[in-house]
Amino acid sequence: LPIWNPMPSAPTNTYNSAKGFTIKYPSDWTKDVPKSGAISVLFRMPTNNAAENLNVQVWNRSVNETLSSRTARTLEAVQDFSNYTEISAGNTTLGGNPAYTVTYTATYGGDHLKFTQIWTIKHGKEYIITYKADPKNFDTYASTAQQMIDSFKIN
């Protein structure tokens, strides 16, 4: 068995999406670009747990859609997850744009996970980044995930 190194590595590779954004990721995380579905790109952590990843979704929205209206809908949706417990929430920025973030624990797909989600709206598109991991691994990779989120740019 390979020795698993719990020291997180810095995001040095850049993923340039045809959906109009770039994000940096560590070379020891596996990049997956699904052919269909809501997720534009998914980066799997080196823990080999499929539920643990950072992913980016891009949704076309009406030009009238605002950050506050999306925030209300998104918070409503996540609060429906079983065992939902909010840890923190508030305004922030994403790629230099006004954004909203929430950190919570919930049971999703049968796994009890800790999540940080951050979203913004620009040019009629909503960009959502979700970092999720088993609560025991979450903090180990949280700084790497934050560096990835900080590297996010809308083209």
Side-chain angles (χ1 to χ4, degrees), residues 94-125:
L94 179 60
N97 300 287
Y100 195 87
T101 185
V102 61
T103 298
Y104 58 93
T105 56
T107 302
Y108 183 78
D111 295 301
H112 186 68
L113 300 170
K114 187 171 177 181
F115 296 76
T116 289
Q117 288 186 293
I118 180 170
W119 56 89
T120 191
I121 295 218
K122 188 170 185 184
H123 306 310
K125 285 186 164 50

Side-chain angles (χ1 to χ4, degrees), residues 1-2 4-5 27 30-31 37 59-60 68 94 103 106 111 118 122 125 127-128 138 149 153 155:
L1 286 170
W4 178 64
N5 178 2
S27 55
T30 311
K31 177 180 57 116
W59 296 86
N60 289 319
S68 61
L94 179 60
T103 298
D111 295 301
I118 180 170
K122 188 170 185 184
K125 285 186 164 50
Y127 299 85
I128 306 173
F138 187 93
I149 291 165
K153 289 186 177 48
N155 304 342

Side-chain angles (χ1 to χ4, degrees), residues 133-148:
D134 184 293
K136 72 180 187 302
N137 292 332
F138 187 93
D139 291 346
T140 303
Y141 292 95
S143 68
T144 302
Q146 188 60 55
Q147 289 173 58
M148 293 170 72

Side-chain angles (χ1 to χ4, degrees), residues 3 5 7 16 25-26 29 32 39 45-46 49 66-67 75 80 82 96 98 106 110 115 120 130 133-134 140 147:
I3 309 265
N5 178 2
M7 270 307 293
N16 194 346
Y25 64 97
W29 290 37
D32 182 14
I39 293 176
M45 294 159 47
N49 176 343
T66 64
L67 180 61
L75 291 176
D80 282 343
S82 58
F115 296 76
T120 191
T130 302
D134 184 293
T140 303
Q147 289 173 58

Side-chain angles (χ1 to χ4, degrees), residues 8-16 23-29 43 144 147-148 151:
S9 56
T12 52
N13 297 355
T14 300
Y15 173 71
N16 194 346
I23 188 170
K24 290 187 189 265
Y25 64 97
S27 55
D28 60 346
W29 290 37
F43 302 100
T144 302
Q147 289 173 58
M148 293 170 72
S151 77

